[in-house]
Amino acid sequence: MQPKSVIMCSLECLKVDLKGLTDHETSLVFDLDDAFFGALDEVDVKRGSLHVSVSIRKASGFFDILIHAAGTVIIACDRCLDDMEQPVDTETRQIVRLGSENSEDGDTIVVAEDEGILDMTWIIYESVALAIPIRHVHAPGKCNTAMANVLEELSADRSSDEESNQAIDPRWEKLLKLKV
C-alpha cells in the first residue's frame, strides 16, 4: 500500500470515486494551501498550509476513512484582530457507505451509489476548524501594540466610569466593607 504522489490541488482533486477503489486500502496525500481556503470563502480560516494524508479502507458495505492533517492556518487573533499562525495537527475518522441518496446519518456519511463520488473538501475543512482552540491569541508581547493600547485604554475608561457614576445597591454596600 504505497501512497499516491503528493497532490497540490484545487477542490476538484478532493473528490474520491469510491466505486473505483479496487484495493482494500488506498492512501492519498494532499498539500493544501491558500487556494484551498480561498475557494471555500470561509471567514474563520483565511489561509494556511496543510499536509493531509488520507487512508481509505474498503470493508464489507462501508469505507473507513482516516484523515490526518498537519500544518499551520492563518486566523484572526481574538485580542488584536491581526492575523496569526495557528499550528494544527489533527486526526479524524469518518465512516462512509453507499446508499440511495447523499445524506448524513449521525456519524456516517451516505454517498449516492449511482454517483459514488465522495467530496472530502468539507470533511477536511471541518476537522481542521475543530482542531483550532476556542480562544486564539498571539503569544505574550506579539499582539499589535497599537490595538492592545487602545483596548487597555478603553477597558480602563469603561470600568472607572461605571464604578464612579453608579450608586451602589445598599444590599451589596456592606459586602464592600468586608474587602480589605
Side-chain angles (χ1 to χ4, degrees):
M1 155 193 81
Q2 290 295 323
K4 293 184 179 180
S5 61
V6 175
I7 303 169
M8 294 293 286
C9 67
S10 65
L11 298 183
E12 197 61 35
C13 74
L14 295 173
K15 294 181 179 179
V16 177
D17 182 7
L18 296 175
K19 294 189 332 183
L21 297 178
T22 55
D23 297 339
H24 289 290
E25 189 162 343
T26 302
S27 295
L28 304 169
V29 180
F30 306 104
D31 281 331
L32 305 177
D33 57 10
D34 296 347
F36 170 75
F37 295 103
L40 293 177
D41 198 28
E42 285 293 310
V43 295
D44 294 335
V45 180
K46 299 176 181 183
R47 299 184 316 272
S49 175
L50 294 174
H51 181 77
V52 179
S53 58
V54 178
S55 173
I56 304 172
R57 189 175 58 85
K58 188 176 181 180
S60 177
F62 69 94
F63 299 88
D64 185 15
I65 301 175
L66 182 64
I67 301 167
H68 180 259
T72 58
V73 293
I74 307 299
I75 56 178
C77 173
D78 287 340
R79 187 176 300 136
C80 72
L81 303 178
D82 277 0
D83 287 348
M84 64 173 274
E85 283 189 3
Q86 176 67 51
V88 173
D89 192 357
T90 184
E91 199 166 89
T92 304
R93 173 166 259 117
Q94 185 68 57
I95 302 297
V96 177
R97 64 179 178 83
L98 298 175
S100 58
E101 61 183 31
N102 290 334
S103 67
E104 286 191 37
D105 180 27
D107 293 337
T108 304
I109 295 175
V110 179
V111 173
E113 192 164 7
D114 58 337
E115 185 179 314
I117 304 293
L118 173 65
D119 187 352
M120 298 191 45
T121 304
W122 285 105
I123 299 170
I124 292 171
Y125 177 79
E126 288 174 353
S127 70
V128 169
L130 288 172
I132 298 171
I134 291 173
R135 185 170 187 264
H136 29 85
V137 295
H138 284 104
K142 299 292 183 184
C143 273
N144 179 326
T145 54
M147 182 63 95
N149 291 339
V150 168
L151 180 63
E152 185 177 321
E153 180 183 311
L154 292 174
S155 295
D157 285 348
R158 187 177 63 190
S159 64
S160 64
D161 286 347
E162 288 175 5
E163 289 174 9
S164 62
N165 292 338
Q166 289 183 349
I168 298 174
D169 186 334
R171 294 174 292 177
W172 301 109
E173 193 171 332
K174 290 184 182 181
L175 289 175
L176 285 176
K177 293 177 184 173
L178 295 175
K179 274 174 77 174
V180 176

